Amino acid sequence: MRKILAAAATLGLAGLGVIVPATAAQASAACDTAWRNAASGYFYAYDYDSCSGTLGLDDDNDANWSDTSGSFQSGDNDDAQSILHKGTSGMAVKVYRHASYGGGHTCLKKSEYYMDDLTGHTYTDGSGVNVSISSHKWVWESDCGKFLNS
Ligand SMILES: [Ca+2]
Ligand SMILES: [Ca+2]
């Protein structure tokens, strides 16, 4: 799903207090708000669609969302339904189907801001991204075989 924020940024209007049109999808509006309120430099994952129910946030990598260390633990594994990128380095966030950066992957670019509903998106191995992410890593876009919005 395309994002209002991205469109505004493309036009150079981001940060100028541009009012989101009333016709904007509610889901995107919720993630726009979440993005504006997010901590700079961090990747967020959410329990539900529309950037709702924060599972965790991380300015680093986490090789295992089902262990007991790092920003994502135990129940966070195979649970994310929306994700958000507020990194500042220009790197993308690469999310993986399995722990230890295994299985298929897809990436969320800095310029994509967020994906408010992972349903219907697939990893490079063809399996669904929704409620399936098990590890993540910050990488340069050249290290991504696939992007969520492409
Ligand atoms: Ca972890
Ligand atoms: Ca998984």
Side-chain angles (χ1 to χ4, degrees), residues 90-92 94 105 107 109 139-147:
M91 296 177 88
K94 193 171 185 178
H105 76 267
C107 287
K109 296 179 194 176
V139 302
W140 295 110
E141 290 180 14
S142 56
D143 291 326
C144 295
K146 187 168 187 177
F147 297 96

Side-chain angles (χ1 to χ4, degrees), residues 6 17 24 36 46 66 105 109 131 137 150:
R36 291 192 178 92
Y46 303 92
S66 64
H105 76 267
K109 296 179 194 176
V131 294
K137 182 195 294 184
S150 61

Side-chain angles (χ1 to χ4, degrees), residues 34-55:
W35 190 89
R36 291 192 178 92
N37 292 333
S40 289
Y42 283 79
F43 160 72
Y44 286 68
Y46 303 92
D47 200 0
Y48 307 107
D49 290 347
S50 308
C51 303
S52 170
T54 306
L55 291 175

Side-chain angles (χ1 to χ4, degrees), residues 1-79:
M1 185 176 293
R2 270 291 166 189
K3 302 163 296 303
I4 303 303
L5 194 64
T10 301
L11 296 171
L13 300 175
L16 296 180
V18 174
I19 304 302
V20 174
T23 52
Q26 193 65 41
S28 291
C31 278
D32 279 2
T33 299
W35 190 89
R36 291 192 178 92
N37 292 333
S40 289
Y42 283 79
F43 160 72
Y44 286 68
Y46 303 92
D47 200 0
Y48 307 107
D49 290 347
S50 308
C51 303
S52 170
T54 306
L55 291 175
L57 60 157
D58 199 357
D59 61 352
D60 201 348
N61 306 327
D62 193 332
N64 191 340
W65 284 25
S66 64
D67 62 8
T68 55
S69 66
S71 295
F72 294 93
Q73 306 187 3
S74 58
D76 299 334
N77 185 56
D78 292 345
D79 209 19

